Amino acid sequence: MIFTSEPARRCLKIQPGRKIQGSALVFLSLGLSLLVHAQEPAAGYTNLPPTNVSRQSRAAAQTIVLPKSVPDPLEPLNRVMWDFNVGLMTDIIKPTSRVYRFVVVKPVRTGIGNFGRNLTYPGRLINNLLQKKWGGARNESWRFVCNTTVGVAGFFDVATRWKIPKSDADFGQTFGKWGWKPHFFLMLPIFGPSNDRDTVGLAADTAANPLLYISPYDLVVNDPLTYLGPYTYLNYAIMYNDLSDSVDESVRFSRAEMDPYSEIEYAWTFARANRVVDFKVKGKQDPASLETLESVFFTYKDPDFPDRGKTWSALIPSTGRKLKFTFWLQPGKAPLVYIVPGLGSHRLAEASLALAELVYHDGFSAVLVSSPFNSEFMEHASTAAMPAYLPVDGRDLDIALTEINRRLSASYPGRLGDKALMGYSMGALESLFIAAAEPTNIDIITTKGSVLRFLEGKQGVKEVKISSITNHLPLINFSRYVAISPPVRMVYGVDKLDEFYRAPLGWPAAERTSDIDNTFLKVAVLSKYTLSPRTSLPFDAIESKFLIGMTFRFMLRDIVYSSQRRDNQGVLHHPIWNWRRAPLYQEILHYSYQDYFDKFVIPYYETRNMAAPVADTIEKADDLRTYDAGLRANPDIHIIVNQNDFLLADTDLAWLRATFTPAQLTVFPQGGHLGNLINPTVQKTILEALGGLKAVPPKSN
């Protein structure tokens, strides 16, 4: 369970001067990305049927009114254009930018970007004046004079060194100041996300560019080729230059999210809101949730590290489909660390990549797979239509890792040393299940047919229908298990997430909607600044908890959508259509994690003859304490947790201390949930947990 959404801000860049700047804080990957399709209920949709959650709690939860995004009546067309832009970025800009970055070094690329921004000074001046931002107009004028003279036509940004602030302004913002509220969202070819107001503003910004009016030849009415001067195309060269440094992140974002379009669509709403925000912290702060928000500071350090990995796929026998995985191998034989991410996370999530980089630079090879709660794993490696039952999810993961290991062993004979399984958050819970089952792991004997049988410890024999499998499959053996911040009880953990989502109920009803709106505005504004782990985040306890709850509610949206796309149970009222998802997303967002279990998971397993009562069976199976004997019997387990992790109750911490030896269990006093992964001491502890696996010396770069 970690924030998995990626830096949407980097995908919002559409032209010089319109880049949404920011840092690697929650407001990038949690913030602008968590503001996803938070809209009003779809037309014709009524209240959900009551569940085990009290009617009072359900009614109260529905009083939370989320900020609306710009309407998207052209969603099918916009999604087609989004796919076109992704293809352009992936197949043309990304591969050519590698050559461009090799030929044009970073200082030169930075200079070109500075030059491009300096050229668009007239537009910023005009719009600062039109918006009555007299100080902004003055600062931009001083910047232009300094950079044009001392900065050699703007190639060097001496104004920033002299601490002259920027004041970006464009016609879209000006039209907004004048009262033009966008009526519909637009995805433009090449230029990306926009709306009716900003599209007109883009045209006006283009008209304000002086290069449009500079030409070495005269305008000839009868010759269209003279309408635009050759210098106009310099704008596109500058745009390509700027994109060359952000395209890798943009492409990774498009691959790591189940539906990146929806995240961009809503992020654009707040990124272009241009409204006043109140940064005053009105209530008490909650250290645990604030520290949890800092988990997104944990990211890879080398910008080229993700692209150094290889992405392959392995055929999963239990589904007959191929599952992708990403790996980095040491040049010689080295121990191999398989990394399983948190709830709903993709293998290319920043925390996964950061852990892979951490272990790789310490001499280990690394393999990343997606979470069993992620659509990639669900639709390619899961034998159940929806994740939530640990014996099935854990065994599906074990089988997937086995097949990945088989493929790597065949392709790189002699290169794979001892294997370690490392998971964080939900991935840690699943890793511990595999560790507990290790003493009972038996070979999966398969024959041509439709049933796969395997032992599930005390859970008995499970049968999974498959297409056809023809080989003898021994499960992978791990020499080490490293679990980082695992929840002990899944049900307790998701109940906390539902509780955090309902945190705004602590605000007065009359102020609740405006306070939620202001919280989202804080996120959008803070995303424009460079922050660090030492930054004091301006959120009170309700705000920080709500941001966490919102993040996981949107993860749940993706889980439900993916599961129903695979096996539609008829619970959802709206049709499942890939090209128009907004109404269905609005409906799904009304479901809590409790609803997910009550309305989807439990009915699903009731049709599969699970022992009644199904709810109790699932709850027991999703509790690590059920596997106490297997966990105690495995000395190769190492667990790292935080004392103030909100996913762990006091009884859970007491059980961890009673079950594992001091050499196996490390408890840090602070950090919330994964919020201290950036701490060098925590990183050292993670690497020490892998000690004894005969790692090779780190590869020098």
Side-chain angles (χ1 to χ4, degrees):
M1 300 179 183
I2 189 170
F3 309 110
T4 59
S5 300
E6 300 303 312
R9 61 180 177 87
R10 300 184 184 179
C11 300
L12 296 178
K13 181 174 180 179
I14 61 172
Q15 68 177 47
R18 269 198 175 179
K19 181 177 179 181
I20 295 179
Q21 303 174 19
S23 65
L25 182 64
V26 59
F27 320 114
L28 310 181
S29 40
L30 163 64
L32 290 180
S33 301
L34 81 81
L35 307 177
V36 184
H37 273 299
Q39 301 168 325
E40 292 180 326
Y45 182 67
T46 58
N47 291 340
L48 296 172
T51 66
N52 291 343
V53 177
S54 70
R55 293 176 181 269
Q56 182 178 2
S57 297
R58 176 61 53 77
Q62 290 184 337
T63 63
I64 297 177
V65 179
L66 302 178
K68 295 183 294 184
S69 69
V70 175
D72 193 7
L74 302 177
E75 183 181 356
L77 178 62
N78 284 332
R79 284 186 176 275
V80 171
M81 194 56 62
W82 165 258
D83 287 344
F84 169 80
N85 288 341
V86 169
L88 181 69
M89 296 286 282
T90 304
D91 299 329
I92 297 179
I93 297 179
K94 180 179 172 67
T96 59
S97 68
R98 292 179 181 175
V99 179
Y100 179 77
R101 291 197 302 266
F102 178 78
V103 175
V104 183
V105 295
K106 177 65 175 176
V108 177
R109 298 198 305 272
T110 300
I112 293 173
N114 293 337
F115 173 74
R117 187 184 189 280
N118 203 53
L119 280 175
T120 56
Y121 157 72
R124 291 192 300 279
L125 174 64
I126 293 171
N127 282 286
N128 272 292
L129 293 174
L130 291 175
Q131 296 176 35
K132 298 181 180 180
K133 295 164 62 175
W134 315 123
R138 181 193 63 241
N139 290 334
E140 281 297 327
S141 297
W142 274 115
R143 289 183 59 85
F144 178 73
V145 171
C146 295
N147 288 339
T148 302
T149 55
V150 182
V152 191
F155 279 95
F156 300 97
D157 187 6
V158 296
T160 296
R161 296 180 188 175
W162 294 344
K163 302 188 184 304
I164 303 176
K166 296 179 181 179
S167 182
D168 290 318
D170 55 60
F171 278 98
Q173 293 175 349
T174 298
F175 295 153
K177 279 279 189 179
W178 292 352
W180 183 347
K181 297 185 181 298
H183 292 85
F184 56 90
F185 179 74
L186 276 176
M187 182 64 67
L188 301 177
I190 302 177
F191 289 96
S194 189
N195 51 52
D196 53 318
R197 182 197 70 195
D198 290 335
T199 299
V200 176
L202 176 60
D205 291 332
T206 303
N209 192 318
L211 290 180
L212 188 67
Y213 307 101
I214 302 175
S215 176
Y217 43 74
D218 296 329
L219 172 66
V220 179
V221 177
N222 296 328
D223 186 1
L225 295 179
T226 65
Y227 290 178
L228 293 178
Y231 304 123
T232 302
Y233 301 103
L234 182 61
N235 291 320
Y236 297 99
I238 295 172
M239 181 191 299
Y240 177 85
N241 173 82
D242 293 344
L243 282 173
S244 67
D245 285 324
S246 62
V247 64
D248 291 341
E249 277 298 301
S250 299
V251 170
R252 187 175 65 82
F253 168 79
S254 67
R255 291 173 175 170
E257 299 302 311
M258 188 195 82
D259 188 6
Y261 169 84
S262 69
E263 303 197 12
I264 292 296
E265 186 266 347
Y266 198 72
W268 188 253
T269 299
F270 267 75
R272 300 291 293 172
N274 198 27
R275 284 181 278 169
V276 177
V277 57
D278 180 8
F279 277 100
K280 182 179 180 181
V281 178
K282 299 178 181 179
K284 292 183 179 180
Q285 292 188 307
D286 176 57
S289 55
L290 280 177
E291 291 166 4
T292 299
L293 294 181
E294 294 183 356
S295 62
V296 293
F297 280 120
F298 183 55
T299 185
Y300 52 91
K301 300 176 182 178
D302 181 357
D304 295 324
F305 178 77
D307 282 339
R308 293 198 184 107
K310 296 181 180 180
T311 297
W312 287 4
S313 61
L315 179 64
I316 307 303
S318 51
T319 63
R321 305 190 69 181
K322 292 185 176 180
L323 176 69
K324 290 183 178 181
F325 62 95
T326 302
F327 65 97
W328 295 257
L329 292 188
Q330 296 289 347
K333 183 176 181 179
L336 183 61
V337 180
Y338 286 89
I339 299 173
V340 184
L343 178 70
S345 292
H346 190 268
R347 55 191 159 81
L348 298 181
E350 289 202 18
S352 299
L353 290 168
L355 282 173
E357 182 185 53
L358 179 68
V359 301
Y360 182 79
H361 285 298
D362 202 55
F364 297 88
S365 295
V367 178
L368 298 180
V369 296
S370 294
S371 162
F373 284 79
N374 182 271
S375 59
E376 180 175 83
F377 192 99
M378 290 171 62
E379 297 175 13
H380 294 85
S382 294
T383 55
M386 60 200 64
Y389 183 51
L390 190 55
V392 173
D393 302 341
R395 190 50 61 106
D396 286 342
L397 176 62
D398 208 356
I399 292 173
L401 296 175
T402 297
E403 286 302 325
I404 292 171
N405 192 73
R406 282 160 55 89
R407 174 149 195 219
L408 288 175
S409 297
S411 300
Y412 298 97
R415 295 275 295 278
L416 308 186
D418 293 338
K419 283 82 176 176
L421 180 58
M422 177 182 293
Y424 61 86
S425 195
M426 183 60 73
L429 176 64
E430 292 152 349
S431 298
L432 289 175
F433 169 82
I434 294 174
E438 183 183 78
T440 59
N441 274 358
I442 61 171
D443 292 348
I444 299 178
I445 309 298
T446 63
T447 57
K448 289 184 178 180
S450 60
V451 175
L452 171 66
R453 295 176 181 267
F454 57 77
L455 186 66
E456 288 189 340
K458 296 181 179 180
Q459 301 300 318
V461 175
K462 172 178 175 287
E463 295 186 354
V464 179
K465 293 184 178 180
I466 55 176
S467 53
S468 61
I469 307 174
T470 59
N471 59 348
H472 176 81
L473 178 64
L475 290 175
I476 184 174
N477 289 317
F478 294 103
S479 301
R480 189 68 46 80
Y481 299 88
V482 181
I484 305 170
S485 296
V488 170
R489 292 172 289 155
M490 188 188 301
V491 171
Y492 178 84
V494 296
D495 281 348
K496 292 296 291 186
L497 298 180
D498 284 341
E499 175 188 319
F500 276 24
Y501 177 73
R502 295 191 293 267
L505 298 179
W507 284 323
E511 303 172 8
R512 188 174 303 142
T513 300
S514 61
D515 284 345
I516 292 175
D517 191 68
N518 189 68
T519 302
F520 281 26
L521 284 172
K522 283 186 183 181
V523 168
V525 172
L526 287 170
S527 70
K528 300 176 184 179
Y529 298 94
T530 299
L531 303 173
S532 69
R534 294 175 298 277
T535 302
S536 179
L537 306 183
F539 299 114
D540 63 23
I542 292 178
E543 291 173 318
S544 57
K545 290 179 180 180
F546 177 60
L547 288 174
I548 294 171
M550 283 287 295
T551 302
F552 287 102
R553 181 60 61 94
F554 290 121
M555 291 181 184
L556 178 62
R557 181 206 68 178
D558 292 345
I559 294 169
V560 172
Y561 180 85
S562 179
S563 71
Q564 298 308 291
R565 183 166 60 181
R566 183 180 180 188
D567 184 2
N568 192 344
Q569 296 170 278
V571 177
L572 301 176
H573 297 232
H574 289 85
I576 301 174
W577 185 28
N578 286 338
W579 295 106
R580 183 164 180 76
R581 305 186 188 184
L584 183 60
Y585 280 176
Q586 294 163 17
E587 178 182 348
I588 295 175
L589 283 174
H590 286 80
Y591 286 92
S592 65
Y593 278 91
Q594 181 67 57
D595 295 324
Y596 174 64
F597 278 90
D598 291 343
K599 298 298 177 183
F600 297 94
V601 176
I602 292 174
Y604 174 81
Y605 278 103
E606 283 177 343
T607 64
R608 280 147 181 82
N609 301 319
M610 179 177 282
V614 172
D616 293 344
T617 301
I618 293 176
E619 182 173 355
K620 182 179 180 182
D622 291 346
D623 188 336
L624 280 180
R625 297 174 300 184
T626 301
Y627 314 102
D628 184 280
L631 292 170
R632 290 177 182 272
N634 194 329
D636 297 318
I637 295 173
H638 291 262
I639 299 177
I640 302 167
V641 296
N642 298 325
Q643 180 81 30
N644 65 342
D645 190 334
F646 62 84
L647 295 183
L648 295 176
D650 291 341
T651 54
D652 297 331
L653 281 168
W655 176 80
L656 287 171
R657 287 190 168 102
T659 304
F660 301 98
T661 67
Q664 293 179 293
L665 177 66
T666 301
V667 181
F668 288 98
Q670 295 178 323
H673 186 64
L674 299 169
N676 57 351
L677 289 179
I678 193 67
N679 189 314
T681 302
V682 177
Q683 294 180 15
K684 181 180 178 181
T685 302
I686 292 172
L687 295 175
E688 288 175 345
L690 296 170
L693 294 185
K694 303 177 182 178
V696 299
K699 179 183 177 182
S700 60
N701 292 325

